[in-house]
């Protein structure tokens, strides 16, 4: 199973996320759940960096991805980053709606 952790600050904004595991929906190379999750998570990291110029503190290994916001982001840029990160949550929830037995999302509030 894939487990996604969304880490939020007390104001509800997203400070980072992590993704771990394998869906085991199908054999390697044919697993559409893993492919979908990988596409939206890696795509979001790339989008944040390309569209806002914010370099996330990201780590990626086989079956694992984490990305956290650096400190000191300007307010106007911060809101753009938040929109992209909230979009990630929407996309992941869409995957859960169709393949919930292979992926779970856990949201953590600080």
């Amino acid at each position: 199973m894939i487990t996604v952790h969304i880490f939020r600050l007390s104001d509800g904004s997203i400070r980072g996320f992590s993704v771990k595991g394998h869906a085991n929906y199908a054999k390697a190379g044919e697993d559409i759940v893993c492919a979908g999750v990988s596409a939206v998570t890696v795509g979001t990291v790339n989008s944040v960096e390309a569209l806002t110029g914010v370099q996330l503190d990201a780590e990626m290994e086989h079956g694992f991805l984490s990305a956290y916001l650096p400190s000191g982001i300007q307010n106007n840029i911060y809101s753009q980053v938040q929109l992209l990160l909230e979009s990630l949550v929407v996309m992941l929830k869409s995957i859960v709606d169709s393949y919930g037995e292979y992926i779970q999302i856990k949201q953590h509030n600080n």
Side-chain angles (χ1 to χ4, degrees), residues 75-104:
N75 285 343
N76 60 331
I77 300 295
Y78 189 80
S79 63
Q80 293 173 357
V81 172
Q82 287 301 306
L83 181 62
L84 292 167
L85 292 173
E86 291 294 351
S87 175
L88 168 66
V89 174
V90 170
M91 290 184 281
L92 289 169
K93 285 181 178 179
S94 295
I95 296 172
V96 169
D97 288 346
S98 297
Y99 301 98
E101 63 204 78
Y102 302 99
I103 176 175
Q104 63 181 342

Side-chain angles (χ1 to χ4, degrees), residues 47-62:
S47 293
V48 167
E49 293 178 356
L51 299 173
T52 70
V54 173
Q55 185 76 29
L56 297 177
D57 180 14
E59 180 183 336
M60 185 167 38
E61 298 175 15
H62 185 70

Side-chain angles (χ1 to χ4, degrees), residues 1-2 21-26 31-35 37 101-103:
M1 174 172 275
I2 296 171
H22 294 282
N24 296 316
Y25 174 78
D31 193 322
I32 61 172
V33 178
C34 276
V37 171
E101 63 204 78
Y102 302 99
I103 176 175

